[in-house]
């Protein structure tokens, strides 16, 4: 297949591209949507760079000719900076405008792709406390929930054009090389890790390998559309994740971070860190997807 990927240099996107290129059973051609002109055209790794500017709703549509699937993952990192009003606008606009750009271009293509797998997040549901949440649950009403609703809604032109659209509502991807793991694992390796806030908040974690496998499952399974939770099958509390990291690394975890310290350091984003998302991937399980790392210990080991 010829598969286009946005956000291809991020943690998930880069792992997805590696997986597609290394697949011994298929000969996929990967198109990366890139912002810099120097990265367009054929690249040393065999991918093809195609220019786009989501802020201006622009994309090189000819570069998308022949694309059979699109995986749209681009967006400003939620945890990259403190949530000022300006950065909240960037978080929102980078997702919604980028999705509008992609969806419009695909809808107007002479030969539209068969599928658009568009990124989203478990933040769609808002804070869920200890309630078990699957894809049937309604949207929440906090900042990230409202962003996710707009983000998913921006795919409508593609769906209206008959393109199969799947929303990948991703949880906390465990990887030592990026995301939250890049901050947590070094501390735990030094024996400086500990629970965050009360530790009783639920975190819906997934290994990077399972995240990539789930995205490919959504590409390859023609009957799957709509929302899918990309989380492990067993949500854990922050305390349980902390204990698992201590076990796997063989390090103590004696340094809890109280909630007031999280708020002082992170501002509004502390609501997400100390908040609870007990989300399960019911639709993936019902479709027959098999997790390589279904429990927290195996997910932590995979991250290392």
């Amino acid at each position: 297949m010829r598969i286009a990927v946005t956000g291809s240099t991020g943690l998930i996107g880069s792992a997805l591209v590696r997986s597609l290129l290394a697949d011994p059973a298929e000969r996929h051609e990967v198109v990366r949507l890139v912002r810099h002109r120097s990265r367009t055209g054929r690249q040393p790794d065999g991918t093809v760079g195609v220019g786009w500017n989501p802020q201006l709703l622009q994309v090189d549509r000819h570069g998308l000719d022949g694309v059979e699937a699109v995986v749209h993952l681009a967006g400003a990192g939620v945890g990259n900076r403190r949530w000022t009003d300006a950065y909240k606008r960037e978080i929102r606009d980078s997702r919604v405008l980028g999705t509008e750009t992609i969806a419009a271009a695909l809808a107007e293509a002479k030969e539209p792709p068969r599928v658009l797998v568009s990124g989203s997040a478990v933040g769609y549901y808002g804070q869920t406390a200890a309630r078990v949440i699957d894809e049937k649950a309604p949207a929440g009403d906090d900042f990230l929930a409202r962003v996710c609703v707009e983000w998913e809604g921006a795919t409508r032109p593609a769906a209206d054009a008959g393109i199969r659209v799947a929303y990948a509502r991703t949880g906390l991807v465990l990887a030592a090389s990026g995301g939250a793991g890049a901050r947590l694992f070094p501390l735990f390796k030094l024996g400086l890790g500990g629970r965050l806030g009360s530790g009783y908040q639920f975190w819906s974690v997934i290994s990077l390998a399972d995240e990539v496998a789930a995205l490919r499952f959504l590409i390859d399974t023609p009957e799957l559309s709509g929302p899918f939770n990309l989380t492990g099958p067993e949500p854990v509390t922050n305390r349980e994740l902390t204990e698992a990291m201590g076990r796997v690394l063989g390090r103590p975890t004696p340094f809890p971070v109280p909630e007031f310290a999280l708020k002082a350091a992170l501002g509004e984003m502390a609501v997400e860190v100390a908040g609870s998302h007990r989300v399960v991937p019911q639709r993936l399980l019902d479709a027959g997807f098999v997790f390589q790392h279904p429990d927290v210990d195996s997910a932590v080991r995979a991250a290392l």
Side-chain angles (χ1 to χ4, degrees):
M1 296 177 69
R2 191 167 198 249
I3 301 173
V5 181
T6 76
S8 66
T9 60
L11 173 67
I12 299 169
S14 59
L16 174 63
V17 170
R18 287 195 301 271
S19 173
L20 292 169
L21 294 177
D23 191 333
E26 304 286 347
R27 295 183 60 84
H28 297 301
E29 181 180 35
V30 176
V31 175
R32 298 179 186 261
L33 271 73
V34 296
R35 299 189 188 194
H36 300 289
R37 188 181 299 273
S38 62
R39 295 180 181 175
T40 59
R42 182 70 60 177
Q43 300 298 301
D45 64 357
T47 62
V48 177
V50 169
W52 80 318
N53 187 328
Q55 279 70 35
L56 298 178
L57 303 180
Q58 295 175 347
V59 62
D60 176 2
R61 301 190 180 197
H62 293 298
L64 295 177
D65 288 346
V67 164
E68 299 170 76
V70 177
V71 182
H72 173 46
L73 303 171
V78 170
N80 287 9
R81 302 181 201 167
R82 194 179 182 91
W83 284 5
T84 62
D85 288 344
Y87 195 60
K88 287 168 70 174
R89 283 194 298 273
E90 184 174 345
I91 289 172
R92 182 265 178 198
D93 289 350
S94 65
R95 286 160 172 76
V96 176
L97 297 182
T99 306
E100 289 177 351
T101 302
I102 289 296
L106 300 183
E108 295 171 8
K110 291 182 180 179
E111 295 184 14
R114 296 198 297 264
V115 59
L116 166 62
V117 178
S118 191
S120 187
V122 296
Y124 176 94
Y125 304 106
Q127 300 301 321
T128 67
R131 292 180 293 122
V132 178
I133 298 297
D134 64 15
E135 291 87 352
K136 296 178 183 177
D141 192 37
D142 58 17
F143 166 67
L144 283 185
R146 293 192 296 271
V147 168
C148 288
V149 169
E150 284 194 86
W151 191 4
E152 294 183 10
T155 65
R156 181 170 296 278
D160 289 346
I163 298 169
R164 176 170 64 91
V165 177
Y167 310 115
R169 293 177 180 167
T170 296
L172 175 63
V173 179
L174 280 183
S177 57
R183 297 177 176 86
L184 293 176
F185 277 99
L187 294 175
F188 277 81
K189 287 180 179 179
L190 293 172
L192 300 175
R195 61 175 171 79
L196 303 178
S198 71
Y200 290 108
Q201 69 272 33
F202 277 90
W203 284 13
S204 298
V205 301
I206 185 171
S207 73
L208 182 57
D210 279 334
E211 173 77 11
V212 169
L215 290 171
R216 296 192 59 175
F217 186 75
L218 293 177
I219 293 171
D220 294 337
T221 311
E223 63 270 22
L224 300 184
S225 63
F228 291 84
N229 296 331
L230 269 61
T231 67
E234 300 177 9
V236 295
T237 64
N238 174 260
R239 185 182 296 264
E240 290 169 333
L241 176 59
T242 297
E243 292 170 352
M245 291 179 72
R247 280 195 303 272
V248 172
L249 291 167
R251 296 289 189 273
T253 56
F255 296 107
V257 181
E259 191 165 344
F260 75 84
L262 289 174
K263 290 179 178 177
L266 303 177
E268 186 180 349
M269 191 174 66
V271 174
E272 290 299 311
V273 175
S276 188
H277 300 282
R278 193 176 187 181
V279 178
V280 295
Q282 194 59 54
R283 293 196 67 205
L284 278 180
L285 294 171
D286 290 346
F289 180 77
V290 178
F291 286 85
Q292 302 173 58
H293 310 113
D295 60 88
V296 67
D297 283 60
S298 64
V300 172
R301 290 191 188 96
L304 295 170

